[in-house]
Amino acid sequence: MSVLLYDPVEKRHVLLLKEGAWAGRRWSVTLRACGNPCCGCLHIDFECTPEKAEIDINQPPVKFALDTELRCVHLDESHVSTPANGFAHAVAKELGDEGWNYLQQFLLGIKKKQIENCDPTRLDADFPPEVLQGEGTVVSYNEIFPLAPALDFTIGSEKWFALDDYCVSPECDCREVVLQFVTEDPERGASPTDPQSAPPAVFYDYRKRKFEQAQAPGTHQPSLGVLLSGLKDKMPGFDAEAKRRHLRLKAMFKRALSKFDDETERALSVEDSESEPVSRTIEAPVHTPKSGRNDPCPCGSGKKYKKCCGS
């Protein structure tokens, strides 16, 4: 049994370590994940409060973070020197596979809700620079939402995943998703180092519910129709989900593109203002006093002006 339990009656997590200095003590636990649905970090923040009957009720909560991918204490600038490290390492040691698997599923559940409830028109995401610069239009959904629920399904005893890419161009009104099918079996799936073994893929129109071949399957792989049917059998609402994902990405890209254009314009403005101004020298006109008729001639002849140049 895991040392981390969920109490459905009180709707809270409870921690009960079995070894070391904290053995037998019960803690009420609050679990939190990063609030950014576009963030792919896999650590969970713990806030552990001792139950009243166990320790001094005035003891402050013990705070730390655990990395659900590496299965260890997550240390960053805010946790490196905290006195909670010993307690955190004790928790990490005693969680076991059951506890770590639970934490990861808990985290993915939080991310799923964040993605579903986000307002894409107000959400900032890092789109590929080449797409922002107009050199491409297709973006992978998991590139923007790294912890989005996987599109997984099985064919026989084999597990497959569908990777979904969408066109985010504001001028395009297509209703297509590019689906690439990959498997966990290295002998049946595509090899990332072999360009000849690209995964089978389709252009799927989720409005018309029709597909076209993008990449033929390998000799020993299921047909494109079988792969697509396997996905839709597992996810009967896939067409609606593909539409939601597509519209979500397009709204987010519109915001990102607007900000990118504004930043580019500001950068160009700063560059223009900081450029060295062109120096222009304007020579003032030279005014020569007018000579009187009886004054010495300015030519230096020694004669009066009227007898020389002024004659």
Side-chain angles (χ1 to χ4, degrees):
M1 181 179 295
S2 175
V3 296
L4 180 65
L5 305 173
Y6 180 72
D7 187 333
V9 177
E10 298 189 14
K11 296 182 178 180
R12 64 187 178 96
H13 288 89
V14 176
L15 182 66
L16 181 62
L17 296 181
K18 302 173 183 178
E19 301 175 1
W22 294 277
R25 295 179 179 178
R26 289 175 59 88
W27 303 75
S28 178
V29 181
T30 300
L31 301 177
R32 297 187 180 90
C34 170
N36 181 2
C38 297
C39 178
C41 65
L42 288 166
H43 64 265
I44 291 184
D45 291 322
F46 277 64
E47 183 174 310
C48 304
T49 304
E51 293 190 348
K52 294 182 179 180
E54 303 295 333
I55 311 177
D56 182 359
I57 62 174
N58 294 319
Q59 178 179 335
V62 180
K63 300 180 181 180
F64 57 91
L66 297 184
D67 188 316
T68 64
E69 181 179 29
L70 300 178
R71 297 193 171 189
C72 64
V73 178
H74 174 74
L75 299 177
D76 57 20
E77 293 180 358
S78 63
H79 293 94
V80 169
S81 60
T82 64
N85 282 353
F87 183 72
H89 284 288
V91 174
K93 179 181 178 181
E94 291 196 48
L95 274 175
D97 288 341
E98 182 181 354
W100 283 112
N101 291 336
Y102 174 81
L103 283 178
Q104 191 164 77
Q105 292 306 310
F106 179 82
L107 172 63
L108 294 177
I110 292 177
K111 288 297 178 181
K112 180 181 178 181
K113 291 181 180 179
Q114 289 178 354
I115 295 170
E116 291 175 348
N117 298 327
C118 75
D119 181 353
T121 64
R122 303 180 64 182
L123 188 60
D124 292 324
D126 294 326
F127 282 84
E130 62 272 16
V131 177
L132 289 169
Q133 294 167 5
E135 299 173 6
T137 61
V138 177
V139 176
S140 169
Y141 191 75
N142 281 91
E143 189 172 9
I144 304 303
F145 295 108
L147 298 182
L151 305 178
D152 62 294
F153 58 98
T154 57
I155 295 179
S157 60
E158 192 172 28
K159 189 170 185 177
W160 287 81
F161 296 88
L163 309 179
D164 51 334
D165 300 346
Y166 302 87
C167 172
V168 295
S169 172
E171 288 78 26
C172 181
D173 61 354
C174 73
R175 297 295 184 269
E176 283 187 344
V177 51
V178 181
L179 295 172
Q180 300 181 71
F181 299 101
V182 297
T183 179
E184 291 181 326
D185 186 349
E187 295 183 0
R188 304 256 296 164
S191 168
T193 60
D194 183 3
Q196 299 301 320
S197 63
V202 297
F203 297 107
Y204 178 67
D205 188 320
Y206 53 79
R207 178 173 53 184
K208 297 179 180 179
R209 301 183 179 181
K210 296 181 179 180
F211 75 90
E212 296 180 4
Q213 175 180 300
Q215 176 66 42
T219 305
H220 301 292
Q221 292 177 330
S223 68
L224 295 176
V226 170
L227 289 168
L228 184 58
S229 295
L231 171 62
K232 298 189 72 174
D233 288 344
K234 171 69 179 299
M235 296 183 61
F238 172 73
D239 296 319
E241 175 62 14
K243 179 180 179 180
R244 282 192 293 269
R245 291 186 173 207
H246 197 177
L247 293 178
R248 190 175 287 140
L249 286 189
K250 293 195 75 167
M252 293 172 65
F253 180 70
K254 184 177 180 180
R255 173 181 172 85
L257 187 61
S258 176
K259 295 185 70 174
F260 175 78
D261 290 341
D262 290 344
E263 291 173 0
T264 302
E265 185 176 346
R266 284 196 297 270
L268 291 175
S269 177
V270 170
E271 183 178 336
D272 289 342
S273 65
E274 292 180 348
S275 60
E276 186 176 349
V278 178
S279 176
R280 299 198 312 170
T281 303
I282 302 177
E283 296 184 359
V286 177
H287 297 282
T288 303
K290 186 176 180 180
S291 301
R293 289 181 56 79
N294 293 318
D295 293 335
C297 185
C299 74
S301 65
K303 299 180 181 180
K304 291 184 178 181
Y305 179 68
K306 67 181 179 180
K307 297 286 187 178
C308 189
C309 296
S311 59

